[in-house]
Amino acid sequence: MIGRELITYPDQRLFAEAVAARTLLTMNEVLGSPDRERVDVAVTGGSDGTAILEAIGASPLLDVVDWRRVHIWWGDERFVPADSDERNERQARDALFDRLVAGGRMDDAQIHAMPADTRTEQERAHATKEETRDALRHAAAVYQSELVGELGQAAAMDVMMFGVGPDGHFASLFPDHKELLIDDPDILVAGLDDSPKPPPTRLTFTVPMITRTEYLWICGSRAAKADAMLGTFTHERDPHWPASFADARRQLLWIGDEASTSRLRA
Ligand SMILES: O=C(O)[C@H](O)[C@@H](O)[C@H](O)[C@H](O)COP(=O)(O)O
């Protein structure tokens, strides 16, 4: 495993602004490397993930990045209909990407949302467990094909950011859930139908996909995350603390505010 570092900011607002600035500067740096055509970034849902995207939109550094060369992916998604407000995609579009597309900085084709549940309300309500699992398996395979189609067999993100749940989950990889233990390097995306955080049906990057990222940041602000920040940072590959499976090729950071990192600094 690569070395881990902890970064603490004074409060939640500065945390979001600092992660936003870090993201923009890192994207620009990647794009500046020789022969580099594009930068691939995976975002996430939840309050911290959304606050960071809002801060990117408001950042004075927004235009250090050539957005025409940026591709956006999701590290996890709630498997609900496309028009649901619960979608991480919806929240991220509202927070940032719709504005970048409307303003002409990006094209919608650069935004790679995870598949939505295309079944009707009735089909969903009457589906057997196996039918729902099939729908999830199919959706995971579709996203994996998109990844491989765009980035090749060794598809990897340049930058990936995750929120961390109070239970230590990241992406949609939950404590003691089997998807966390997928270690087949050919499985990049998985579905699950028993998420303890609603909604129960979700799609997620697997650990093999996550850990081949260049820059990986585990982000958590507020006191509610203090146990999770401690547990995930101080354990390694512990199924009770899913984000302890985080690893990266170049940089692995836990980023928080004073409240969320209090137990790590005690
Ligand atoms: O779909 C989701 O709910 C997220 O992708 C999830 O993994 C989230 O990032 C964490 O639960 C932290 O969420 P908060 O920042 O809201 O606590």
Side-chain angles (χ1 to χ4, degrees):
M1 275 196 170
I2 191 175
R4 305 170 165 196
E5 281 173 65
L6 174 70
I7 300 180
T8 302
Y9 294 103
D11 58 38
Q12 197 186 350
R13 183 180 59 81
L14 288 169
F15 151 86
E17 285 178 6
V19 179
R22 176 182 292 279
T23 306
L24 291 163
L25 294 174
T26 306
M27 286 159 78
N28 182 52
E29 215 173 286
V30 170
L31 286 172
S33 342
D35 302 328
R36 197 38 117 100
E37 277 170 18
R38 60 190 273 171
V39 61
D40 288 86
V41 179
V43 299
T44 187
S47 54
D48 283 324
T50 306
I52 292 164
L53 295 182
E54 279 168 359
I56 289 178
S59 173
L61 299 176
L62 180 68
D63 285 318
V64 301
V65 168
D66 178 357
W67 287 94
R68 289 165 306 179
R69 296 161 67 197
V70 175
H71 287 257
I72 299 296
W73 304 83
W74 270 263
D76 70 318
E77 182 56 280
R78 300 145 186 209
F79 190 63
V80 289
D83 60 358
S84 165
D85 288 342
E86 281 194 287
R87 293 261 301 164
N88 287 338
E89 177 198 0
R90 182 69 267 145
Q91 294 170 14
R93 282 185 180 273
D94 288 347
L96 177 65
F97 299 114
D98 277 356
R99 189 155 69 78
L100 297 187
V101 172
R105 283 185 177 84
M106 288 183 90
D107 193 277
D108 213 61
Q110 294 164 248
I111 300 178
H112 307 274
M114 283 185 161
D117 190 348
T118 53
R119 296 173 298 171
T120 64
E121 214 180 303
Q122 236 199 348
E123 281 168 346
R124 268 199 313 283
H126 294 108
T128 62
K129 256 196 165 316
E130 208 35 57
E131 282 165 350
T132 295
R133 284 183 187 151
D134 277 348
L136 283 161
R137 263 192 293 271
H138 175 71
V142 166
Y143 204 55
Q144 174 148 342
S145 308
E146 188 167 346
L147 280 163
V148 172
E150 286 275 325
L151 297 167
Q153 211 54 46
M157 294 292 120
D158 295 298
V159 180
M160 205 182 276
M161 66 177 84
F162 287 113
V164 61
D167 59 356
H169 78 258
F170 74 146
S172 285
L173 298 168
F174 291 92
D176 303 310
H177 275 56
K178 60 179 186 316
E179 298 76 27
L180 177 61
L181 302 178
I182 293 172
D183 59 1
D184 180 339
D186 294 329
I187 304 180
L188 309 183
V189 186
L192 64 155
D193 64 353
D194 59 353
S195 161
K197 179 178 181 181
T201 47
R202 288 165 172 264
L203 296 169
T204 184
F205 277 174
T206 59
V207 169
M209 177 64 195
I210 292 170
T211 54
R212 55 167 86 160
T213 300
E214 294 289 322
Y215 296 83
L216 179 59
W217 305 327
I218 305 295
C219 306
S221 72
R222 291 157 294 152
K225 305 292 171 72
D227 287 345
M229 291 292 274
L230 176 74
T232 57
F233 187 81
T234 55
H235 291 79
E236 274 189 18
R237 299 182 68 87
D238 180 340
H240 301 307
W241 295 111
S244 70
F245 280 69
D247 201 359
R249 287 183 172 153
R250 191 182 292 242
Q251 184 181 64
L252 179 57
L253 303 179
W254 266 249
I255 311 176
D257 62 1
E258 284 186 1
S260 70
T261 63
S262 58
R263 299 201 57 204
L264 274 164
R265 293 176 296 107

